[in-house]
């Protein structure tokens, strides 16, 4: 039977081995445990970094899609401007607009830009005949069943084979499209449809689709009432999209390490899937991926839900592999350190090794006996005190370097903590004291003394004293304390609200203005107290910019509402700038906030007054035009004024560019005098020769009083800036 106990001989050898190589074993354990700690922290940081990087990429992808859809909406706004600026828009005009923008080159993913026209039943035959004469022999409004109103796609560029399939299609006959068209018509704003199957699809590689509509009203009207909008609707400029083409053009290969799923509506119904990078829908998987995120997009009155999940290639980045290399490297270093120290112990056991170690130590080392007599000092101690060992040997260490206090009074040996620590016991303990030593030249210096008490068997106790000069450290600490005091004084007297935040978004300091504004105590304000002050509706936008700034270690500025001590929310402009340490490490942000409520209210009133003035100009029952003084360029012309000149485009042109036919009347010189003198000019009633049809032919109009009334707008220096 094998014995389960270690024999006394083997046990004694094991104990002797551990005692003899204790430093080597301790070094191995210390480095290995430190390696385990670094491995654990590095792995945690790598996972946190991956999470932040994934969240940042998902946010960037969401923003890219949102910006792209905003650009497409602006294209439709420009298309609508054709109808506003012209009496009629021909097929050639529409094609020229599309080709000029080079949309296929600049905005890939756009299926086309088109116009659908409202057709009443009594106009149906005339409408169909018109487009058949234009070359569309088989033109017909589809579907053909009778109904109270029709819409007909008449323009769609590029007019390729796929888009030709849509010409004549009545989108109002489809409930999903009709819902978006009605929303655009009743709100006068762009509207995004739900998921549809485009009529351009051929049955091969079909994709999910959707459309954006922008209403066009008769006579370029902008009706206020919903009933008027429904009565005056003329048609819609619109763009159809194939979802896969759009998403691939928007994201490309920039997000190849993510799987993205886009769903129409607020739910994640599979029937509402617009686009997916993978054939597997990971949102519906029972086992979710390690990193995933949901985003919600609200685009033109339609909601999209976007689900992001990280592919395995994203998780297996270089950072995630680093902890394992650290573990392997640390283990190897631990073993190497063990064998190095083991080798040193075996080969360098003599006193020469001890002497070498002490001679090359950067800290000053002294050895004193039970009576406080110096029995050893290393070269660092000689350099620190100015005494040679020959001068110190057999003398009291206290009497040589610790005899006087900084104020010049004697330092009694009975009060010396270094000497007393030795006299009060010979146990193997370590005690640290902060003292002030005297050099040979009489100068003082601050030092930190670590006293190791040793008792070797029956011999008298002695002590090893390790001394470090901490004069510069003390000065640095004092400078830091003074700097912090100055900062707090300046911050408390600054005319702005100041908050210092760390990299975890926790407040570590707030100034007096913060406390006065919020009514919080300092204890309530630090950590996450700022989250209780920002308006809940503004918090998501603030968090989004804050997270982005933390990831990029950059600054940002945002306007948010903050709750004052009396419960009232005030508009503030918050600016956060990066805060770095002495070694350049990113420490967080310094936030400043300034109250701009009064400024915003003033801006709102100015804008409201400007809108009212513009409305008065447009609706006044007189011919009114507004001209800028600096270049005599039209800034505004009401409908009656434009009608006088054949509804030509006036805004943006100078007087001479818009009315060459008025040169002979001397009107331009009179208007120049108005700007120079500030006096109103009342013209005589004369017949005007007007290029009414914008074809270069002048036609005599009715006699009217030229510039019968002048309206001046002056700046703060009483200088005329506009004339009407």
């Amino acid at each position: 039977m094998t014995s389960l106990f270690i024999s006394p001989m083997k046990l004694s050898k094991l104990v002797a081995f551990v005692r003899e190589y204790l430093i080597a074993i301790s070094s191995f354990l210390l480095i290995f445990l430190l390696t385990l700690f670094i491995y654990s922290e590095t792995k945690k940081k790598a996972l946190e970094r991956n999470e932040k990087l994934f969240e940042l990429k998902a946010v960037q992808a969401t923003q890219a899609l949102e910006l792209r859809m905003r650009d497409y909406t602006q294209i439709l706004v420009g298309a609508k401007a054709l109808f506003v600026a012209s009496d009629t828009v021909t097929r050639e005009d529409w094609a020229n607009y599309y080709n000029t923008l080079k949309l296929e080159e600049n905005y890939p993913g756009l299926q086309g830009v088109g116009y659908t026209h409202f057709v009443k039943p009594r106009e149906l035959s005339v409408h169909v005949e018109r487009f058949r004469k234009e070359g569309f022999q088989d033109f017909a409004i589809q579907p053909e069943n009778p109904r109270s109103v029709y819409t007909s796609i008449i323009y769609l560029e590029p007019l390729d084979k796929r888009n030709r399939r849509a010409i004549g299609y009545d989108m109002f006959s489809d409930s999903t499209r009709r819902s978006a068209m009605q929303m655009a018509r009743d709100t006068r704003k762009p509207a995004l449809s739900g998921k549809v199957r485009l009529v351009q699809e051929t049955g091969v590689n079909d994709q999910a689709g959707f459309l954006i509509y922008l209403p066009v009203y008769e006579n370029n009207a902008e009706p206020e009432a919903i009933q008027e909008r429904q009565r005056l609707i003329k048609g819609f400029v619109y763009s159809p999209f194939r979802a896969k083409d759009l998403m691939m053009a928007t994201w490309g290969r920039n997000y190849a390490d993510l799987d993205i799923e886009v769903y129409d509506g607020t739910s994640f119904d599979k029937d509402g899937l617009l686009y997916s990078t993978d054939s597997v829908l990971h949102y519906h998987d029972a086992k979710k991926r390690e990193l995933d995120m949901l985003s919600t997009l609200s685009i033109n009155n339609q909601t999209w839900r976007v689900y992001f999940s990280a592919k395995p290639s994203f998780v297996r980045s270089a950072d995630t592999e680093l902890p394992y290399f650290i573990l392997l490297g640390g283990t190897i270093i631990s073993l190497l350190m063990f064998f190095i120290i083991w080798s040193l112990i075996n080969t360098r056991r003599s006193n020469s090794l001890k002497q070498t170690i002490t001679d090359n130590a950067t800290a000053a080392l002294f050895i004193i006996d039970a009576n406080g007599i110096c029995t050893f000092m290393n070269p660092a101690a000689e350099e620190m005190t100015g005494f040679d060992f020959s001068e110190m040997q057999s003398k009291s260490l206290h009497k040589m370097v610790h005899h006087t206090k900084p104020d010049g009074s004697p330092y009694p040996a009975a009060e010396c903590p270094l000497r007393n620590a030795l006299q009060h016991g010979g146990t193997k303990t370590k005690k640290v004291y902060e003292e002030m030593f005297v050099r040979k030249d009489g100068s003082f210096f601050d030092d930190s003394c670590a006293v190791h008490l040793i008792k070797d068997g029956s011999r008298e106790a002695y002590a090893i004293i390790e001394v470090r000069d901490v004069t510069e450290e003390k000065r640095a600490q004092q400078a830091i304390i003074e700097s912090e005091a100055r900062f707090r004084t300046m911050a408390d007297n600054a005319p702005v609200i100041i908050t210092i935040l760390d990299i975890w978004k926790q407040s570590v300091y707030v100034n007096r203005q913060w406390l006065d504004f919020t009514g919080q105590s300092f204890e309530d304000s630090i950590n996450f107290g700022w989250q209780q002050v920002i308006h809940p509706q503004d918090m998501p936008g603030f968090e989004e910019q804050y997270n982005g700034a933390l990831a990029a270690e950059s600054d940002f500025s945002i306007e948010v509402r903050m709750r004052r001590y009396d419960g009232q929310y005030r508009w503030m402009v918050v600016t956060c700038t990066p805060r770095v340490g002495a070694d350049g490490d990113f420490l967080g942000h310094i936030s400043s906030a300034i109250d701009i409520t009064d400024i915003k209210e003033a801006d709102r009133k100015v804008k409201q007054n400007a809108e009212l003035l513009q409305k008065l100009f447009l609706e006044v029952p007189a011919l009114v035009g507004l001209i800028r003084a600096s270049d005599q360029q039209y800034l505004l012309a009401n409908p009656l004024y434009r009608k006088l000149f054949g509804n030509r485009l006036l805004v943006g042109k100078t007087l001479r560019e818009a009315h060459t036919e008025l040169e002979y009347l001397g009107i331009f010189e009179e208007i120049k005098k108005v700007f120079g003198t500030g006096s109103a000019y009342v013209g005589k009633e004369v017949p005007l020769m007007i290029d009414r049809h914008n074809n270069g032919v002048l036609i005599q109009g009715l006699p009217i009083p030229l510039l019968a009334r002048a309206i001046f707008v002056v700046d703060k220096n009483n200088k005329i800036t506009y004339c009407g």
Side-chain angles (χ1 to χ4, degrees):
M1 181 176 178
T2 304
S3 175
L4 298 177
F5 299 95
I6 301 176
S7 64
M9 183 177 292
K10 291 182 178 181
L11 181 61
S12 61
K13 289 183 178 180
L14 179 61
V15 172
F17 176 85
V18 172
R19 182 181 299 167
E20 189 173 6
Y21 298 105
L22 180 61
I23 297 178
I25 295 172
S26 300
S27 299
F28 168 80
L29 292 176
L30 178 62
I31 297 175
F32 184 73
L33 292 175
L34 181 61
T35 299
L36 289 178
F37 174 78
I38 296 175
Y39 159 78
S40 176
E41 290 298 311
T42 305
K43 186 175 182 180
K44 183 170 67 174
K45 293 295 183 183
L47 293 176
E48 291 176 355
R49 182 184 180 280
N50 271 356
E51 291 175 358
K52 291 181 179 179
L53 181 60
F54 169 78
E55 181 180 352
L56 178 62
K57 292 197 73 172
V59 170
Q60 290 174 341
T62 303
Q63 292 174 343
L65 179 58
E66 186 175 15
L67 290 175
R68 178 60 64 92
M69 295 307 299
R70 192 179 301 167
D71 291 341
Y72 290 149
T73 302
Q74 289 304 311
I75 292 170
L76 294 183
V77 174
K80 180 179 178 179
L82 285 178
F83 290 91
V84 175
S86 305
D87 289 336
T88 59
V89 177
T90 65
R91 188 176 305 282
E92 291 74 21
D93 294 335
W94 195 259
N96 289 336
Y97 171 77
Y98 179 87
N99 294 329
T100 301
L101 293 180
K102 298 181 180 179
L103 296 181
E104 293 179 349
E105 176 183 341
N106 298 325
Y107 296 94
L110 180 69
Q111 181 62 31
V113 179
Y115 172 71
T116 180
H117 188 69
F118 261 85
V119 180
K120 298 177 181 179
R122 66 175 182 272
E123 303 169 341
L124 182 59
S125 59
V126 176
H127 178 80
V128 171
E129 186 62 25
R130 170 194 166 190
F131 285 93
R132 287 181 177 177
K133 289 180 179 179
E134 289 184 7
F136 294 86
Q137 300 297 331
D138 299 327
F139 179 84
I141 296 181
Q142 301 293 335
E144 296 181 350
N145 56 295
R147 45 196 177 274
S148 61
V149 66
Y150 301 80
T151 64
S152 170
I153 298 176
I154 59 175
Y155 302 147
L156 182 56
E157 293 293 333
L159 197 57
D160 52 21
K161 183 177 180 181
R162 185 182 290 273
N163 278 341
R164 278 182 177 272
R165 295 168 56 88
I167 296 297
Y169 177 66
D170 181 0
M171 292 185 285
F172 214 66
S173 64
D174 175 69
S175 60
T176 302
R177 293 173 172 86
R178 182 170 62 252
S179 177
M181 296 168 78
Q182 290 173 337
M183 176 65 71
R185 177 196 66 193
D186 294 344
T187 62
R188 293 191 316 182
K189 296 180 180 179
L192 182 74
S193 76
K195 176 183 176 183
V196 299
R197 184 181 186 274
L198 299 177
V199 293
Q200 287 91 332
E201 298 297 342
T202 62
V204 179
N205 296 324
D206 284 0
Q207 300 180 20
F210 60 93
L211 309 98
I212 301 179
Y213 298 93
L214 185 63
V216 177
Y217 300 96
E218 292 180 0
N219 302 322
N220 300 327
E222 292 293 335
E224 296 293 335
I226 292 179
Q227 293 81 0
E228 284 296 296
R229 297 172 188 172
Q230 294 173 351
R231 185 178 64 84
L232 295 176
I233 187 66
K234 177 180 178 182
F236 297 87
V237 290
Y238 80 104
S239 284
F241 298 85
R242 303 180 80 209
K244 183 177 180 180
D245 292 348
L246 169 66
M247 305 304 176
M248 293 183 67
T250 301
W251 291 322
R253 299 193 59 81
N254 296 329
Y255 305 93
D257 50 1
L258 302 181
D259 275 323
I260 307 175
E261 299 165 24
V262 182
Y263 294 86
D264 178 47
T266 57
S267 65
F268 290 88
D269 190 348
K270 293 182 180 179
D271 293 336
L273 179 69
L274 284 173
Y275 171 74
S276 175
T277 55
D278 197 355
S279 58
V280 178
L281 299 182
H282 297 282
Y283 178 81
H284 297 279
D285 272 358
K287 184 179 180 181
K288 298 293 185 182
R289 283 178 166 173
E290 184 176 349
L291 297 175
D292 64 350
M293 177 180 170
L294 284 173
S295 291
T296 301
L297 278 177
S298 181
I299 304 173
N300 297 333
N301 294 313
Q302 185 69 10
T303 300
W304 284 354
R305 300 299 301 276
V306 187
Y307 177 72
F308 299 90
S309 60
K311 292 182 178 179
S313 58
F314 182 95
V315 179
R316 291 195 302 270
S317 63
D319 287 347
T320 56
E321 301 293 335
L322 179 61
Y324 300 98
F325 287 110
I326 291 176
L327 180 61
L328 177 62
T331 302
I332 294 174
I333 293 173
S334 301
L335 293 172
L336 287 175
M337 184 61 69
F338 172 81
F339 286 110
I340 290 171
I341 297 177
W342 177 81
S343 177
L344 288 174
I345 292 175
N346 285 339
T347 56
R348 312 286 295 275
R349 295 184 177 180
S350 62
N351 290 332
S352 60
L353 176 60
K354 299 178 183 178
Q355 187 64 44
T356 301
I357 294 174
T358 54
D359 287 349
N360 290 279
T362 57
L365 298 177
F366 301 89
I367 298 179
I368 60 174
D369 60 15
N371 298 316
I373 302 301
C374 181
T375 60
F376 172 82
M377 63 186 297
N378 68 343
E382 294 178 346
E383 182 179 357
M384 180 181 290
T385 62
F387 290 104
D388 294 332
F389 178 62
S390 59
E391 298 175 279
M392 295 281 291
Q393 191 174 14
S394 302
K395 294 186 175 71
S396 169
L397 179 66
H398 176 77
K399 290 183 179 181
M400 296 298 293
V401 297
H402 202 214
H403 51 78
T404 305
K405 295 181 181 180
D407 59 3
S409 61
Y411 199 142
E415 299 176 8
C416 177
L418 308 180
R419 182 183 178 91
N420 293 339
L422 180 62
Q423 291 179 345
H424 292 165
T427 58
K428 295 183 179 180
T429 59
K430 176 181 178 181
K431 297 183 179 180
V432 180
Y433 306 92
E434 287 192 359
E435 291 294 330
M436 186 167 282
F437 279 10
V438 185
R439 295 188 180 92
K440 183 178 181 179
D441 61 5
S443 61
F444 290 85
F445 65 94
D446 294 297
D447 58 76
S448 175
C449 302
V451 181
H452 303 260
L453 305 177
I454 299 174
K455 188 171 185 178
D456 188 6
S458 59
R459 293 173 14 186
E460 292 182 355
Y462 61 95
I464 299 177
I465 303 175
E466 178 183 352
V467 181
R468 289 190 310 108
D469 188 344
V470 295
T471 304
E472 293 302 323
E473 293 180 13
K474 290 266 189 182
R475 291 175 181 173
Q477 290 175 358
Q478 184 62 32
I480 291 173
I481 293 172
E482 294 175 357
S483 176
E484 289 181 350
R486 287 194 299 270
F487 170 78
R488 291 176 183 272
T489 301
M490 289 188 294
D492 284 341
N493 289 278
V496 296
I497 295 172
I498 297 176
T499 309
I500 299 179
L501 305 105
D502 60 20
I503 58 175
W504 294 281
K505 301 193 290 189
Q506 297 184 105
S507 297
V508 297
Y509 171 76
V510 294
N511 70 344
R512 178 169 52 81
Q513 281 69 19
W514 169 277
L515 302 177
D516 293 343
F517 180 85
T518 63
Q520 294 179 336
S521 65
F522 185 82
E523 291 74 17
D524 293 335
S525 299
I526 59 174
N527 296 325
F528 296 100
W530 58 269
Q531 294 181 346
Q532 310 301 320
V533 177
I534 295 179
H535 196 286
Q537 294 179 358
D538 299 339
M539 182 62 73
F542 181 82
E543 287 275 16
E544 180 179 349
Q545 288 210 29
Y546 195 179
N547 292 335
L550 281 175
E553 298 182 2
S554 62
D555 59 355
F556 72 96
S557 183
I558 188 173
E559 293 182 5
V560 296
R561 287 165 289 179
M562 293 174 57
R563 189 181 66 239
R564 202 167 57 182
Y565 63 88
D566 58 1
Q568 180 184 356
Y569 281 96
R570 304 283 292 178
W571 278 103
M572 314 290 285
V573 58
V574 179
T575 303
C576 292
T577 56
R579 183 167 59 96
V580 297
D583 54 358
D585 290 341
F586 177 66
L587 302 179
H589 285 87
I590 297 178
S591 169
S592 62
I594 300 176
D595 193 329
I596 59 170
T597 305
D598 296 338
I599 297 175
K600 290 184 74 68
E601 180 62 20
D603 289 344
R604 185 189 66 79
K605 291 182 178 178
V606 169
K607 183 177 179 182
Q608 185 180 25
N609 292 337
E611 291 175 349
L612 178 59
L613 179 60
Q614 183 177 10
K615 187 174 181 181
L616 289 174
F617 272 131
L618 291 175
E619 296 182 357
V620 68
L623 285 72
V624 178
L626 185 65
I627 305 168
R628 185 166 53 205
S630 60
D631 54 6
Q632 295 189 10
Q633 185 181 94
Y634 272 107
L635 296 182
L636 184 143
N638 73 348
L640 292 177
Y641 192 91
R642 293 200 308 271
K643 184 177 180 181
L644 175 66
F645 295 101
N647 285 321
R648 282 182 290 167
L649 180 64
L650 299 177
V651 176
K653 293 184 178 181
T654 65
L655 278 172
R656 294 183 183 275
E657 292 173 345
H659 306 295
T660 56
E661 68 274 12
L662 301 182
E663 178 77 32
Y664 74 97
L665 294 176
I667 295 176
F668 301 147
E669 288 72 15
E670 293 298 336
I671 292 178
K672 186 176 181 180
K673 291 178 181 179
V674 169
F675 285 126
T677 64
S679 299
Y681 167 73
V682 180
K684 299 177 181 179
E685 187 175 277
V686 298
L688 286 180
M689 299 297 293
I690 301 172
D691 182 4
R692 185 180 297 278
H693 299 294
N694 198 22
N695 57 5
V697 178
L698 299 178
I699 300 174
Q700 180 169 328
L702 295 175
I704 64 172
L706 293 180
L707 300 179
R709 179 174 298 168
I711 301 172
F712 307 107
V713 180
V714 299
D715 60 13
K716 62 182 180 180
N717 297 319
N718 291 323
K719 181 179 179 182
I720 299 176
T721 56
Y722 303 104
C723 173

